[in-house]
Amino acid sequence: MTSNSAGIEPQLPIGKRCYPLPPTRTASHDLQQTPRSWPRQTCYPIPNALASFQDVSEPASKRQKIIVAAPGVIGKTSGTLHSILDASNATSNKGARLLKAADSLLERERAEKGQQPSLFPVRPGTIPQPGGNPQGRALAIERATAKDAVPVKPYVPEPPSSAPRFHKAGPADFFPWTGCHAEDVLNELTTKQGFYDKSQVSQNESNTARPSVWSSLKHKSGLQILSSLFVSALDQRQIHGTITTSSTFKPPPRVTLTDTKREAWLRDLANPSIPLRRLSRTIPHGIRGKILLDHCLSKDIPTSRAIWLAKCVGANEIRAFKRKGTGGVFTVGGEAKWIKDWTANVEQFLECIIDVCGSADWRSKISYGLRLITHLYSEHLLDQDHYLDWLIASFRDSDLDALPMWLLVMQIHRQDVLQHRQRGGRLAEALLKHLDKASLPVNHELYDTVFKQIARLLKTIMLSAPACFILPPCWSKYEDTIKSCLDKKENRLQSSFDSLSKRNWRLRNRSLGQSSQATKSHRQTIIVYLDSLRDDQNFGRIAGACLRVTSDYELLVRTCIEWSSSIYRHGRFRAYAAARLLRIWKRKGIDLQGPIFDFLAASSDVPGLQKREVYRLLAELVRSQHLSVGKYLQWLIARGTLDGHHEPNPDGPCDVYLLFELPLQGLPSHIINLRGILLTTLGVPAMRESDMIIAAKARILDEIADFFLWADDASAGSGAGCDDFAFLSQTVKSAVALWIRQNLFSRLQVYGKTGSASEDTKQPNPNKAAACLVTLNQFHTIRRILEDFEDFAILADVLNILSDEVQGPVLTAVTDTVNQYFDVFNAIGAAKDIFRRLYYRVEEPHGPEVIEMAFLESLIDLACRLSNTAQEVQRLRNDMLALVPSLSAVAFSPISDNMVEAVQSAEPIFADEMDQMLAGGTSMDKQTLTRVFGTIIGHLETSFEESSQSGIRFSQLLARLRRFGPKAFDALLKEWLQKWLRSDLHANPGLILSPMVCCKVVSLKVVLDSAAQLLSLEGHRNHRATLAFEMLDMVTTASSGPMQTIDYRGYRLLDQLHRLVRMSSASITALLSVVVETRRAAEAPLRTRARARVEDLSVRNLIQTLVLQQPSTPREVASTLPNTDLQKAFWGLLDQDLLEESPHLNRHSRISRLLNSTSDFNVPLVQWELRAILSDTETLENAEDALTDILMERASASRDGRVELLACLVSKLPVKEAASIREKAETEIICLGVTDTTSTCHEYKTRLDSLTAIIEAAGFSVPDAETSPFLDQIVDGLSMICSSPQLDKYQHNGDEIDSDHVCQSIDVLISLLVIHQSTIQHPRFSQSALFQVLISLSRLLIHPFLALHPTLSSYVFDTLALLSDTLSDDTRTRCIRTLRDHHHSQDPRLRFIFGYPENVNNEWLQLVTKSSTIAEAKSEGLTMQPYSLRRWEMMQDATPVSTENDTSLSLTLFGARKSVL
């Protein structure tokens, strides 16, 4: 033990039992030695209480050591002592006192536990556990107290774990008692002064420097002398301690070993207990590449040792290139090639461990492999660029089964990938591709977990690096998929998604290969949503989408009313769809009264307005009480509109004439009286409306007198004053329609369906009772009347009533009516209810005479048009199959046996016998089918000469015949159709083919496609023209309404025609093309007939429907018209007066007048007629120049929404004309001086906006060329803006400038640059020109001015990112070098776009060369150059013997000194 330095012991009071003594030697070898205080410890004499037990005067070697331990070990010592005394059966008083002393020591130890300091100092970095080791203490006491405990081996004391240790000499001050150590001898000196180590004095030093130094310190200059001594000592240490030897680093050499020795060496490497210096003597030769990685994986070599082995092999390989003695270029190239090969081996290794997924012990293998590869990547032992590019390519090409593992790898390297725009964009595109694939219905359930993992990574990237999703070419494809995986509650993600949509749309809208649509105004966007109701009547979604477009509710309501009543939109459903939307908006708190009244006041200025449609819409709102008649009358009176007016004209202002169109049902009496007073003011007789109602009722009574059961006032009237129901007012129509519905309900009550007949005292006329509720003729008449009234709400009520009561043909007619007006009834909201009622008729018990095959066919068609009716459709198809007799394959058909009698029957009985034969047969062979088909077709061709009903009957027979062999029947029918259309067509095609279409023998599309195919063949002009005329007549006759000769199935033909016009218009266009071509025929009759057909209103309505049916894609519809004469023939389609004046107008006037008539609703027609004007080659006037001049003039002078209309027209022009307009607009923009930042003229800015909109709309006309002279002007403009004096003053002095004009100029130039990106991204575009573009954008991006305009800054950044994707490596390096030279390379946005790190080429480590003298250093300075690290040689324990400078990076570069212990 050691004492204090002075050797003085403190005096202790007698009786104290706390004696710090040397560590106790116990019998148990499991006890840990408690650390002693360091460096001062004191040895105290044994107290008197214990001295009486043994004589102190005996020699220490003969005495038994009885030691009272320090407080930290008292418990251990006392416990051991207690066990020894118990074992010896001590009965003496000394033993009893000793036992008592041991017990008191144990109690004192427990009381003072945790309060005494540790005997040893705490090791730095460790926290000692208070109270020692309780488990070890308990185990020691248990073993010590055991009477039969016999030690297996001698006790060997172990140093405490917390004891301080020397580097080589082991633990400090730990000398177990052996009896031989100086500390073990207890003599008088050690008892009085304690034991301490004597310092060894060197031979060169006498004892201490105190005598020689003390005399010098007594003087005044003593401090200076002492300082000089210390400085001299430090200098000597610097001289003798600095490492000056060269680096002796050398990678372990490779030797060729046998397989056994190599395996043994690898096993030793996998054993962490074997030091690396032992293994670094030699490493086996032949372990390289993927073999090295496989050995590491199979032998589970620790990661750090595997990296060490890889570095050893790599360092030897790289040094092998240098030993070949070749030039430096070859050496560098060979080293780079070897690193690429090594990276390829690592990539193959990663592929292999991913492929083992699912095999035995695959988790540990994948975990080890990913950990090893990640360490190789992080220590720059791979070609990182090649590795990351390969990772992204592998992730992109992976299938969904292996995708989870690749997602794990991408998560590891995500941060490095997202640091570069090019790699981040490729990763984002790959994620979108996999997300879309996993979201498919066929994969969604199986790969739901993968979908969630992809979505999670995608969301992370959207928040951390949203610029990676600037992908205009593919954003529109995956936008809905991204939206589907986002949660609406995640506000950050939703805002990020909305921002990315806007940024991509801003670039996509002007990109080559994207849609050439111009930027739409709010009004045009609302019209697009309203047009989509034709295909998807999801009113809730459309109403919400329109509300999100604009907060101007007046514009919203006005646009909706105009859409429902525009002459340039077709469809009877529009009024009901608009009424339903307005009701939805009314429930959301939007006021309808004000916008409707404002629209009525300005209705005279609305072009192309169908005022009867306006009245019909407002009548529906009045019926549903969403428009107050009282407020309308108050508004009318307050405006004074009625002053000076006589009886209004129907074509006059809507605000006054609406008074005549209001439905009066349900209005209070005072409102009706006030309306009557206003009508009297206008000079309208009070009884005129009543007389018109009575006349309409009288006319209806004349047509279906047997329908009405009650005597009525109309029975005494006359229908002479009511010639056409269509021209009646909405007031009269509504009253008469309601009267018809009430009479139908009364008939229903009379026949006992709802109880008593009526509360009225009138009695029904028994002579008018009928056998059924409504006959087929009565239903046809009622339907026609309500169709003339265009009151489909009442018609829906009528169909609702009849769907529960009627049977047979009437039920089929009801279903066909719902099919025909499906969009109208769906807009009303009655389609699904009527379908449910009809479907219940199938489910209820009934006889075979009730359900018809035609009814099931129509009901299936109706069910297919509704949503969520898959089960009902399957049930109906099963019921239809149950009605058809089972067709069993037999050798001889019963139909064949009776065939001879049937075909030889006379004409009147042929149809009946054939009907019986088809009903009773079970099968039919092909030969019999051919004979029966020929016989029925022969009768059909001649049936219409005698009776149209016979043709219908034969068409029904053909429909029943088709069930015996659909494929063979269709082949026979197609062959007959081709042959019959080639004939002279003695019969009217409409009379023969229409009933066949209605009976579902053949579809209208097959008929028209066959005719178009024949017209495309070269043949006789007269025959082609005749065929085209006849087929066109059939189409136009069907489009005007159901043919009277087609009985109750005529609506099927009409429904098929409407679908054909909407889905496939090519065949109808072919007919029109032949008709127009015939206008130039030599034969006068054909020419006259063709001109008559072209000028016919029904044909003009048909062609207008073709163009307006799909307003979103008029260009595709117009492109199906191959003949330019066809377009010229319909010049004036917008205005009939324009058609008459067109021969006398030149092109300039025609174009000018056409543009004047342009509105938001007739843009498709204007575009179509513009194409017709431009295709006219008969005049010498240049149409392109005329159109360009007019458009430029209009664009410069336009305001409000006219610019958007002109841009929309330009976006659909042919490429040649659009390019001409674009080039002129670009030239004008440059001539305006867009780079002049001092101009503040408002007209200048407005003109600039208009020209930019025209250029953007014509952006699709930019050619895919290698160069463009206009790009140089754009780049020069950007450079001029960056170096303009105003921006320089702003940068240095913060002066105010016209920021709006500067932003507008930059926005225009960036827009022009984006429009020409097809040229910039051309593979053969000059990289030098691209370099100039990118440098100009980079300078603009980092300019301080843009920091105050984040939207514009984002636009510049997105454009720069988009254009940088096509950079070559050389151009990218050149851009980086240029930015570094101008000190712009530290901007993080530029680092992200160009993909360079913050410190390029290891610039963070510099080699400094100092001059030899201080003077030279001051004059010449320090020389600094980048220092490249040899990462393959940065390894530990590379040599078997450690030397002072054995590191790869020489310690002399850092001025390192030797460490002295």
Side-chain angles (χ1 to χ4, degrees):
M1 300 184 64
T2 59
S3 64
N4 54 10
S5 58
I8 301 174
E9 301 176 0
Q11 296 181 359
L12 289 178
I14 301 175
K16 291 279 185 177
R17 292 185 180 270
C18 182
Y19 305 109
L21 296 177
T24 305
R25 282 76 169 177
T26 62
S28 175
H29 63 275
D30 292 328
L31 293 177
Q32 296 182 358
Q33 300 295 329
T34 305
R36 293 171 290 181
S37 299
W38 182 265
R40 296 172 58 91
Q41 292 183 357
T42 307
C43 181
Y44 297 102
I46 300 176
N48 297 331
L50 296 180
S52 61
F53 181 72
Q54 194 171 6
D55 190 2
V56 182
S57 61
E58 294 182 0
S61 59
K62 296 182 180 180
R63 293 198 309 265
Q64 178 184 357
K65 277 196 173 183
I66 301 175
I67 302 172
V68 180
V73 293
I74 291 177
K76 302 177 184 179
T77 307
S78 59
T80 306
L81 184 61
H82 199 289
S83 62
I84 293 174
L85 294 176
D86 285 342
S88 60
N89 295 322
T91 57
S92 62
N93 294 331
K94 294 183 179 180
R97 288 195 297 271
L98 188 59
L99 286 173
K100 186 176 180 181
D103 291 338
S104 63
L105 287 175
L106 181 59
E107 291 175 1
R108 187 177 184 85
E109 185 270 342
R110 291 173 180 174
E112 299 181 359
K113 180 179 179 181
Q115 300 181 3
Q116 299 298 329
S118 176
L119 297 181
F120 283 107
V122 178
R123 184 70 173 170
T126 61
I127 300 177
Q129 305 251 348
N133 188 356
Q135 296 180 356
R137 181 186 307 157
L139 181 61
I141 294 175
E142 179 182 358
R143 291 184 178 180
T145 56
K147 297 181 180 181
D148 56 348
V150 178
V152 179
K153 62 179 180 178
Y155 167 69
V156 179
E158 296 180 357
S161 59
S162 59
R165 295 175 178 272
F166 292 113
H167 180 62
K168 296 181 180 180
D173 194 26
F174 182 76
F175 304 106
W177 183 84
T178 59
C180 302
H181 194 267
E183 188 179 359
D184 297 336
V185 179
L186 186 61
N187 50 28
E188 183 179 358
L189 181 62
T190 57
T191 302
K192 292 181 179 180
Q193 299 181 0
F195 179 82
Y196 60 91
D197 293 331
K198 297 180 180 179
S199 59
Q200 298 181 0
V201 181
S202 176
Q203 296 179 358
N204 298 329
E205 297 182 6
S206 58
N207 188 5
T208 177
R210 184 173 180 273
S212 58
V213 175
W214 180 251
S215 60
S216 300
L217 294 177
K218 292 181 180 180
H219 303 285
K220 296 181 180 181
S221 60
L223 186 61
Q224 184 176 0
I225 296 173
L226 182 61
S227 176
S228 300
L229 290 175
F230 281 131
V231 171
S232 300
L234 292 176
D235 290 340
Q236 292 298 322
R237 188 181 69 169
Q238 181 71 19
I239 294 173
H240 296 284
T242 302
I243 298 176
T244 57
T245 59
S246 301
S247 176
T248 60
F249 173 81
K250 184 179 182 182
R254 292 183 294 181
V255 295
T256 304
L257 300 177
T258 61
D259 295 342
T260 304
K261 291 183 178 181
R262 182 173 60 183
E263 292 296 325
W265 189 90
L266 290 172
R267 284 193 299 270
D268 292 342
L269 181 64
N271 186 2
S273 61
I274 299 179
L276 289 177
R277 289 200 180 275
R278 174 183 169 186
L279 300 174
S280 62
R281 297 171 183 171
T282 56
I283 61 175
H285 202 286
I287 302 178
R288 63 166 64 91
K290 187 173 178 296
I291 299 176
L292 184 149
L293 300 173
D294 291 337
H295 279 299
C296 294
L297 176 63
S298 60
K299 294 176 177 55
D300 196 16
I301 299 176
T303 307
S304 59
R305 291 178 165 242
I307 299 297
W308 179 82
L309 176 60
K311 287 183 177 181
C312 292
V313 174
N316 280 282
E317 293 285 344
I318 292 173
R319 291 198 171 200
F321 288 104
K322 300 179 180 179
R323 287 195 299 267
K324 293 181 179 179
T326 55
V329 178
F330 178 81
T331 302
V332 175
E335 180 179 349
K337 182 179 181 301
W338 183 86
I339 294 177
K340 286 186 179 295
D341 294 340
W342 162 253
T343 305
N345 292 326
V346 174
E347 294 165 358
Q348 294 176 8
F349 175 71
L350 180 58
E351 284 183 341
C352 292
I353 63 173
I354 290 179
D355 292 339
V356 302
C357 182
S359 61
D361 200 20
W362 64 275
R363 293 179 182 271
S364 60
K365 292 181 179 179
I366 290 177
S367 177
Y368 179 86
L370 291 180
R371 185 169 62 251
L372 177 59
I373 294 175
T374 304
H375 278 81
L376 290 173
Y377 176 85
S378 62
E379 296 193 20
H380 298 273
L381 301 181
L382 300 175
D383 186 345
Q384 292 189 341
D385 294 336
H386 185 278
Y387 178 70
L388 292 178
D389 292 340
W390 173 82
L391 275 184
I392 297 173
S394 301
F395 176 75
R396 182 192 61 225
D397 300 335
S398 173
D399 55 2
L400 293 179
D401 294 328
L403 194 61
M405 295 308 306
W406 289 109
L407 281 171
L408 178 61
V409 177
M410 293 308 304
Q411 287 278 16
I412 296 174
H413 300 282
R414 173 172 54 87
Q415 295 295 339
D416 294 333
V417 172
L418 298 182
Q419 290 180 358
H420 188 189
R421 148 72 191 180
Q422 194 173 24
R423 293 196 186 100
R426 290 166 53 198
L427 174 60
E429 188 173 358
L431 279 173
L432 294 178
K433 172 189 170 184
H434 289 304
L435 186 72
D436 182 67
K437 189 176 180 180
S439 63
L440 295 176
V442 68
N443 296 330
H444 185 68
E445 183 176 356
L446 183 61
Y447 297 101
D448 182 59
T449 305
V450 178
F451 178 83
K452 293 179 181 178
Q453 291 179 357
I454 300 173
R456 190 180 302 112
L457 179 58
L458 184 138
K459 294 175 185 178
T460 304
I461 299 177
M462 283 183 64
L463 294 177
S464 60
C468 295
F469 287 94
I470 302 300
L471 304 168
C474 64
W475 179 262
S476 58
K477 179 180 178 182
Y478 302 116
E479 184 174 8
D480 295 336
T481 307
I482 301 174
K483 195 172 184 179
S484 65
C485 71
L486 298 181
D487 190 358
K488 294 182 179 180
K489 298 180 181 179
E490 299 175 340
N491 297 328
R492 289 184 60 198
L493 282 172
Q494 287 292 338
S495 60
S496 178
F497 174 79
D498 295 338
S499 175
L500 286 173
S501 297
K502 294 177 182 178
R503 293 164 68 181
N504 278 284
W505 172 255
R506 183 171 52 187
L507 298 177
R508 176 184 58 184
N509 189 32
R510 308 164 189 179
S511 301
L512 183 67
Q514 303 295 329
S515 176
S516 58
Q517 297 178 355
T519 302
K520 293 183 176 64
S521 62
H522 290 167
R523 179 178 168 87
Q524 291 173 334
T525 305
I526 294 172
I527 292 174
V528 171
Y529 283 126
L530 295 175
D531 288 335
S532 66
L533 286 172
R534 179 177 295 275
D535 299 322
D536 181 19
Q537 291 189 353
N538 190 340
F539 291 95
R541 183 181 62 84
I542 298 300
C546 293
L547 288 177
R548 288 190 294 270
V549 171
T550 179
S551 59
D552 187 356
Y553 299 141
E554 183 176 355
L555 172 66
L556 188 63
V557 175
R558 177 188 177 92
T559 304
C560 185
I561 297 175
E562 285 189 46
W563 174 81
S564 67
S565 57
S566 175
I567 195 176
Y568 305 114
R569 290 293 183 272
H570 288 190
R572 292 178 171 179
F573 76 98
R574 291 177 297 141
Y576 299 97
R580 192 167 179 180
L581 288 175
L582 291 174
R583 294 184 189 117
I584 294 175
W585 293 334
K586 177 71 173 179
R587 289 195 297 269
K588 293 181 179 294
I590 297 177
D591 178 41
L592 301 181
Q593 311 287 345
I596 290 177
F597 294 160
D598 294 341
F599 173 79
L600 293 175
S603 60
S604 301
D605 300 330
V606 179
L609 186 67
Q610 291 177 306
K611 296 181 179 179
R612 289 191 174 274
E613 296 296 327
V614 176
Y615 303 143
R616 190 153 63 94
L617 169 62
L618 298 182
E620 290 297 322
L621 293 177
V622 170
R623 276 182 176 178
S624 60
Q625 299 181 357
H626 287 84
L627 179 62
S628 174
V629 178
K631 290 185 178 180
Y632 163 69
L633 298 178
Q634 293 175 8
W635 173 76
L636 203 60
I637 295 171
R639 291 180 66 242
T641 311
L642 302 180
D643 296 341
H645 275 81
H646 298 288
E647 183 176 355
N649 185 2
D651 297 330
C654 293
D655 54 349
V656 178
Y657 199 78
L658 178 61
L659 197 62
F660 296 86
E661 301 287 340
L662 295 172
L664 305 180
Q665 291 74 26
L667 293 180
S669 58
H670 67 278
I671 298 295
I672 298 177
N673 294 334
L674 178 59
R675 176 179 176 272
I677 294 172
L678 295 179
L679 290 178
T680 306
T681 304
L682 294 174
V684 178
M687 299 301 295
R688 190 175 72 173
E689 284 184 349
S690 300
D691 294 340
M692 292 297 298
I693 293 174
I694 293 175
K697 292 180 179 180
R699 181 178 173 185
I700 295 173
L701 283 172
D702 293 340
E703 295 186 16
I704 47 173
D706 55 345
F707 175 75
F708 300 96
L709 301 178
W710 317 109
D712 196 282
D713 296 338
S715 59
S718 173
C722 183
D723 298 330
D724 193 351
F725 289 146
F727 293 101
L728 296 176
S729 67
Q730 290 293 329
T731 305
V732 177
K733 290 179 180 179
S734 179
V736 176
L738 187 62
W739 173 71
I740 292 175
R741 187 184 65 176
Q742 289 174 347
N743 278 274
L744 176 63
F745 193 74
S746 298
R747 286 179 64 89
L748 186 62
Q749 289 179 328
V750 167
Y751 286 103
K753 300 297 183 182
T754 59
S756 61
S758 175
E759 296 179 359
D760 203 327
T761 57
K762 297 179 181 180
Q763 298 294 327
N765 187 356
N767 297 327
K768 294 185 178 181
C772 61
L773 178 62
V774 176
T775 64
L776 186 60
N777 291 331
Q778 290 175 348
F779 174 74
H780 284 170
T781 305
I782 294 173
R783 183 179 64 182
R784 177 179 54 79
I785 293 171
L786 294 178
E787 287 173 349
D788 292 340
F789 288 169
E790 294 184 331
D791 197 339
F792 291 96
I794 299 297
L795 180 58
D797 292 343
V798 171
L799 296 178
N800 248 326
I801 296 173
L802 295 179
S803 60
D804 290 333
E805 308 301 334
V806 296
Q807 298 176 356
V810 182
L811 191 62
T812 306
V814 169
T815 311
D816 285 341
T817 305
V818 180
N819 265 320
Q820 167 60 26
Y821 299 111
F822 174 79
D823 51 357
V824 179
F825 294 137
N826 198 28
I828 295 174
K832 198 149 194 175
D833 187 29
I834 299 176
F835 167 75
R836 289 298 174 190
R837 292 174 179 269
L838 294 172
Y839 181 74
Y840 292 153
R841 295 297 305 276
V842 180
E843 291 185 335
E844 66 185 11
H846 48 70
E849 70 280 357
V850 177
I851 296 299
E852 291 185 344
M853 182 68 69
F855 167 67
L856 290 177
E857 291 175 351
S858 298
L859 193 58
I860 290 174
D861 292 342
L862 177 60
C864 292
R865 303 176 72 172
L866 292 168
S867 58
N868 302 324
T869 55
Q871 295 181 355
E872 289 83 352
V873 171
Q874 186 62 37
R875 164 71 188 277
L876 292 173
R877 287 175 177 171
N878 294 337
D879 291 343
M880 188 172 65
L881 291 176
L883 293 178
V884 180
S886 59
L887 304 178
S888 58
V890 295
F892 299 98
S893 172
I895 295 181
S896 304
D897 300 337
N898 301 326
M899 183 63 195
V900 178
E901 293 89 2
V903 296
Q904 293 179 356
S905 301
E907 183 68 26
I909 63 173
F910 169 77
D912 296 334
E913 293 185 357
M914 186 62 67
D915 191 8
Q916 295 177 2
M917 181 185 65
L918 294 176
T922 56
S923 63
M924 184 180 298
D925 55 19
K926 185 176 181 180
Q927 183 178 2
T928 305
L929 179 65
T930 305
R931 293 174 61 190
V932 175
F933 176 81
T935 303
I936 298 177
I937 283 293
H939 287 77
L940 179 63
E941 291 178 358
T942 58
S943 61
F944 281 93
E945 297 177 0
E946 301 177 359
S947 173
S948 60
Q949 297 299 326
S950 299
I952 297 174
R953 182 70 179 279
F954 291 132
S955 298
Q956 293 175 348
L957 290 176
L958 287 174
R960 299 183 64 178
L961 179 64
R962 187 178 181 276
R963 301 167 191 164
F964 291 90
K967 292 184 179 180
F969 181 87
D970 291 342
L972 291 173
L973 182 63
K974 188 175 182 180
E975 182 181 355
W976 169 81
L977 188 60
Q978 293 284 347
K979 181 180 179 181
W980 186 73
L981 291 177
R982 289 192 186 99
S983 64
D984 294 336
L985 298 179
H986 299 291
N988 187 355
L991 297 178
I992 295 179
L993 296 177
S994 296
M996 297 177 67
V997 172
C998 294
C999 295
K1000 216 171 182 180
V1001 177
V1002 65
S1003 66
L1004 183 61
K1005 186 177 186 304
V1006 173
V1007 174
L1008 295 181
D1009 288 346
S1010 300
Q1013 183 179 0
L1014 290 177
L1015 294 176
S1016 63
L1017 302 176
E1018 294 295 334
H1020 195 269
R1021 172 177 294 181
N1022 293 345
H1023 180 268
R1024 295 177 69 247
T1026 303
L1027 177 60
F1029 290 148
E1030 295 293 342
M1031 301 304 295
L1032 189 60
D1033 288 341
M1034 183 184 73
V1035 172
T1036 54
T1037 304
S1039 63
S1040 61
M1043 302 176 69
Q1044 299 297 327
T1045 59
I1046 309 180
D1047 200 25
Y1048 63 91
R1049 302 308 308 278
Y1051 271 29
R1052 178 177 291 277
L1053 175 65
L1054 193 59
D1055 181 56
Q1056 287 202 20
L1057 177 63
H1058 290 170
R1059 295 191 188 188
L1060 184 66
V1061 172
R1062 291 173 60 183
M1063 303 302 178
S1064 177
S1065 58
S1067 55
I1068 300 178
T1069 305
L1071 299 179
L1072 294 172
S1073 178
V1074 175
V1075 172
V1076 174
E1077 183 183 353
T1078 311
R1079 293 172 66 244
R1080 297 180 298 178
E1083 295 82 355
L1086 289 177
R1087 186 168 62 250
T1088 304
R1089 187 178 179 184
R1091 290 178 179 176
R1093 297 305 296 149
V1094 167
E1095 297 174 1
D1096 186 69
L1097 182 59
S1098 61
V1099 177
R1100 298 179 64 80
N1101 289 336
L1102 179 62
I1103 191 62
Q1104 188 172 357
T1105 304
L1106 285 174
V1107 179
L1108 294 177
Q1109 196 68 249
Q1110 299 291 337
S1112 59
T1113 56
R1115 190 173 187 179
E1116 287 75 7
V1117 176
S1119 64
T1120 60
L1121 308 176
N1123 197 326
T1124 57
D1125 292 336
L1126 178 60
Q1127 298 174 347
K1128 291 187 295 182
F1130 295 102
W1131 159 252
L1133 194 61
L1134 293 169
D1135 191 354
Q1136 192 69 21
D1137 297 333
L1138 194 61
L1139 176 63
E1140 298 175 358
E1141 299 176 5
S1142 60
H1144 310 288
L1145 298 176
N1146 56 16
R1147 284 190 173 183
H1148 192 281
S1149 301
R1150 290 166 65 185
I1151 294 175
S1152 178
R1153 186 165 180 176
L1154 181 63
L1155 294 180
N1156 289 334
S1157 64
T1158 305
S1159 68
D1160 291 308
F1161 294 97
N1162 63 1
V1163 170
L1165 285 174
V1166 174
Q1167 292 169 346
W1168 198 53
E1169 296 202 6
L1170 272 179
R1171 293 168 64 92
I1173 297 174
L1174 296 175
S1175 62
D1176 189 3
T1177 58
E1178 296 179 359
T1179 60
L1180 299 177
E1181 185 181 0
N1182 192 339
E1184 295 180 14
D1185 296 341
L1187 178 61
T1188 303
D1189 295 340
I1190 295 174
L1191 281 175
M1192 289 296 99
E1193 180 182 354
R1194 298 293 178 88
S1196 301
S1198 294
R1199 59 182 183 272
D1200 299 334
R1202 300 297 298 178
V1203 175
E1204 287 81 2
L1205 287 177
L1206 295 178
C1208 191
L1209 289 176
V1210 172
S1211 66
K1212 304 300 180 182
L1213 288 176
V1215 176
K1216 184 178 179 182
E1217 288 76 10
S1220 176
I1221 296 173
R1222 176 184 52 79
E1223 291 173 358
K1224 187 167 184 178
E1226 289 172 348
T1227 304
E1228 189 168 351
I1229 281 183
I1230 297 300
C1231 294
L1232 283 175
V1234 68
T1235 57
D1236 184 9
T1237 58
T1238 61
S1239 178
T1240 59
C1241 180
H1242 177 70
E1243 295 181 358
Y1244 164 81
K1245 296 179 180 180
T1246 304
R1247 189 177 182 186
L1248 197 60
D1249 289 337
S1250 301
L1251 292 175
T1252 305
I1254 296 297
I1255 294 174
E1256 291 174 359
F1260 67 95
S1261 64
V1262 176
D1264 189 12
E1266 302 177 13
T1267 182
S1268 174
F1270 190 68
L1271 283 176
D1272 298 334
Q1273 300 178 5
I1274 298 176
V1275 176
D1276 294 342
L1278 291 173
S1279 302
M1280 291 176 61
I1281 289 179
C1282 292
S1283 58
S1284 62
Q1286 285 75 16
L1287 288 186
D1288 290 340
K1289 291 180 181 179
Y1290 172 83
Q1291 182 176 0
H1292 295 93
N1293 304 326
D1295 295 342
E1296 294 186 1
I1297 60 175
D1298 187 8
S1299 59
D1300 293 337
H1301 174 63
V1302 174
C1303 292
Q1304 185 186 29
S1305 301
I1306 296 175
D1307 185 79
V1308 168
L1309 292 176
I1310 298 299
S1311 301
L1312 295 178
L1313 199 61
V1314 172
I1315 291 172
H1316 288 269
Q1317 67 170 301
S1318 58
T1319 302
I1320 298 176
Q1321 294 178 345
H1322 194 278
R1324 289 183 291 181
F1325 182 71
S1326 173
Q1327 291 292 315
S1328 176
L1330 180 59
F1331 166 77
Q1332 295 294 335
V1333 171
L1334 297 180
I1335 291 299
S1336 300
L1337 289 175
S1338 301
R1339 291 180 56 196
L1340 187 61
L1341 178 64
I1342 62 178
H1343 199 282
F1345 173 75
L1346 260 67
L1348 301 177
H1349 302 85
T1351 303
L1352 183 60
S1353 177
S1354 173
Y1355 191 18
V1356 176
F1357 173 78
D1358 295 343
T1359 306
L1360 182 59
L1362 182 65
L1363 299 181
S1364 66
D1365 291 341
T1366 58
L1367 267 179
S1368 64
D1369 294 338
D1370 295 339
T1371 308
R1372 189 183 303 275
T1373 305
R1374 184 182 176 189
C1375 290
I1376 296 171
R1377 188 183 304 112
T1378 303
L1379 293 173
R1380 291 177 62 243
D1381 293 343
H1382 291 82
H1383 307 287
H1384 300 326
S1385 61
Q1386 296 303 317
D1387 192 282
R1389 295 169 296 178
L1390 296 181
R1391 290 203 304 267
F1392 171 76
I1393 290 175
F1394 292 104
Y1396 59 89
E1398 186 174 359
N1399 297 293
V1400 185
N1401 296 328
N1402 295 324
E1403 289 185 354
W1404 66 274
L1405 185 60
Q1406 301 278 338
L1407 179 62
V1408 181
T1409 304
K1410 296 187 293 186
S1411 301
S1412 57
T1413 60
I1414 298 178
E1416 293 178 357
K1418 291 182 179 180
S1419 60
E1420 299 179 4
L1422 302 177
T1423 303
M1424 303 176 64
Q1425 58 182 358
Y1427 185 85
S1428 298
L1429 294 175
R1430 292 173 294 190
R1431 299 187 179 274
W1432 288 95
E1433 297 181 357
M1434 297 176 65
M1435 65 181 75
Q1436 76 277 16
D1437 299 334
T1439 56
V1441 180
S1442 176
T1443 59
E1444 64 180 16
N1445 192 7
D1446 59 353
T1447 58
S1448 172
L1449 187 61
S1450 180
L1451 299 178
T1452 59
L1453 298 175
F1454 304 95
R1457 296 193 301 268
K1458 303 174 185 178
S1459 62
V1460 180
L1461 292 177

